[in-house]
């Protein structure tokens, strides 16, 4: 039998998740939940039931099997707790919370004996992006030798309407900002590829938007150290026209046009002892088959093919497998919290001007 899934939140991401639910033969879209009156028309377009709250939904239809939470960041914990308390599996969009403390509270709530049968996953869907999966495959095969360093970019321009109501929470320091909204994606991908970050330092970019109304950061240049010994640099900024970001490079977001060629929008460069790799053009540079490994030799260029797949669809399929006991979570609540901890450390580094160490046990 198919799993009955509700979508909580009718903003930018909710309808995308809904399309994945509708296209999967193993899932059924049971309802769309959102207090905004405009959400009713979204539900109508999706041909599903609409309710302004979880409680009103539970009073009106049979309890769904699972939910995908796509509400503003600061509401993730409260919404997820309400769903778990009613016996509903949860996939909550990233970040898991807007604070480490409430994120920990959610994990503790999910781990209570009475909730042990329920699954809590965090929607870091880029773990299912074919470019990330191919990169992981190349790294696991030791094709680059020992990984030494990584350089990353997430730079583009967000228009004014992105920050207008009901999205004005994105301006606030407590809930918005490019670090928890966007950088958290890349931190999770870096964790997936290289293991946990244990130290971060950050310098803020020059602000381009008036404050007020914008309180939150627009960008930062970061240095990272991983537990494995890998070091990295990362530039994140949402106030500059640029093709160097995950969305433009991979085309995963239909609202952001894809670069005609991946080489125009590389966002990761990974450096190893035997070769280096750029993503998403998936170009490997080495001295393979040369007389010696030396800068005096011309580099050998190899390009890897990547098969097309829709990350949201693959993530949903994984969610179904986890609920049915056929897979372990790729991004558990703990993994989602790990990415948030690094982002909070980056913000602390911005405030103090000092590197921030992160407990490896965390």
């Amino acid at each position: 039998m198919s799993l009955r899934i509700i979508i909580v939140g009718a903003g930018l991401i909710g309808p995308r998740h809904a399309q994945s639910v509708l296209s999967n033969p193993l899932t059924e879209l049971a309802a769309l939940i959102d207090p905004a009156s405009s959400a009713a028309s979204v539900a109508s377009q999706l041909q599903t039931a609409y309710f302004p709250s979880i409680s009103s939904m539970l009073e009106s239809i049979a309890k769904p099997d699972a939910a995908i939470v796509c509400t503003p960041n600061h509401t993730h914990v409260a919404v997820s707790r309400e769903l778990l308390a009613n016996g509903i599996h949860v996939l909550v969009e990233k970040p898991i919370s807007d604070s480490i403390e409430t994120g920990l509270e959610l994990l503790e709530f999910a781990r209570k004996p009475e909730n042990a049968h329920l699954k809590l996953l965090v929607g870091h869907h880029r773990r299912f992006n074919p470019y990330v999966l191919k990169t992981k495959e190349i790294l696991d095969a030791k094709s680059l030798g020992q990984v030494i360093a990584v350089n990353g970019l997430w730079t583009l321009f967000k228009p004014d309407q992105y920050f207008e109501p009901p999205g004005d929470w994105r301006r606030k320091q407590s809930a918005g900002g490019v670090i928890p909204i966007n950088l958290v994606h890349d931190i999770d991908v870096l964790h997936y590829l290289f293991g946990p970050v244990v130290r971060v330092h950050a310098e803020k970019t020059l602000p381009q938007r008036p404050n007020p109304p914008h309180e939150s950061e627009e960008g930062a240049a970061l240095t990272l150290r991983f537990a494995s010994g890998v070091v990295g640099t990362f530039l994140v900024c949402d106030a500059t026209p640029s093709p160097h970001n995950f969305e433009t490079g991979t085309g995963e977001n239909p609202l952001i046009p894809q670069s005609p060629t991946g080489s125009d929008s590389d966002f990761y460069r990974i450096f190893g002892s035997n070769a280096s790799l750029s993503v998403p053009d998936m170009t490997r540079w080495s001295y393979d088959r040369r007389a010696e490994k030396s800068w005096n030799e011309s580099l050998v260029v190899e390009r890897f093919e990547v098969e097309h797949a829709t990350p949201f669809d693959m993530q949903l399929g994984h969610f179904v497998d986890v609920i049915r006991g056929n897979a372990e979570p790729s991004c558990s609540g703990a993994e989602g919290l790990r990415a948030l901890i690094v982002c909070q450390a980056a913000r602390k580094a911005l405030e103090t001007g000092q590197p921030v160490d992160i407990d490896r046990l965390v």
Side-chain angles (χ1 to χ4, degrees), residues 118-316:
L118 298 172
K119 306 299 182 182
L120 172 64
L121 280 69
V122 181
H124 281 288
H125 66 275
R126 290 183 185 171
R127 290 187 178 221
F128 301 93
N129 186 285
Y131 291 94
V132 173
L133 293 173
K134 188 65 178 181
T135 301
K136 178 71 169 172
E137 176 187 320
I138 293 168
L139 294 176
D140 288 349
K142 306 298 182 183
S143 177
L144 306 187
Q146 182 179 36
V147 177
I148 300 169
V150 58
N151 167 242
L153 292 164
W154 192 89
T155 50
L156 52 57
F157 186 83
K158 292 177 180 176
D160 290 343
Q161 57 262 37
Y162 178 82
F163 301 98
E164 293 175 354
D168 51 341
W169 60 270
R170 301 186 180 107
R171 306 173 187 167
K172 301 183 183 301
Q173 180 69 14
S174 59
V178 72
I179 289 178
I181 293 177
N182 303 107
L183 180 65
V184 69
H185 270 305
D186 288 291
I187 293 298
D188 181 71
V189 171
L190 296 178
H191 280 166
Y192 179 60
L193 296 176
F194 308 111
V197 172
V198 294
R199 182 183 301 149
V200 60
H201 181 59
E203 296 285 352
K204 190 176 293 188
T205 59
L206 290 172
Q208 303 300 306
R209 300 185 181 102
N211 181 7
H214 292 271
E215 303 170 357
S216 57
E217 79 285 336
E218 299 171 7
L222 297 93
T223 58
L224 307 168
R225 174 168 288 279
F226 297 80
S228 63
V230 173
V231 295
T233 60
F234 205 101
L235 176 63
V236 58
C237 181
D238 66 6
T240 178
S242 165
H244 300 288
N245 57 81
F246 199 99
E247 292 87 341
T248 303
T250 66
E252 74 161 25
N253 187 338
L255 300 177
I256 300 175
Q258 184 175 9
S259 170
T261 61
S263 59
D264 293 335
S265 56
D266 62 314
F267 48 80
Y268 296 155
R269 295 173 182 174
I270 305 169
F271 305 94
S273 57
N274 293 335
S276 63
L277 178 73
S278 57
V279 183
D281 59 314
M282 308 312 294
T283 302
R284 178 182 182 271
W285 302 80
S286 73
Y287 293 113
D288 293 353
R289 302 183 298 280
R290 296 298 188 233
E292 62 175 337
K293 188 164 72 173
S294 168
W295 63 359
N296 300 120
E297 298 283 346
S298 59
L299 286 159
V300 176
V301 179
E302 178 184 4
R303 289 185 171 86
F304 297 92
E305 295 296 324
V306 176
E307 295 183 4
H308 174 75
T310 303
F312 278 85
D313 293 348
M314 295 178 68
Q315 179 179 244
L316 177 66

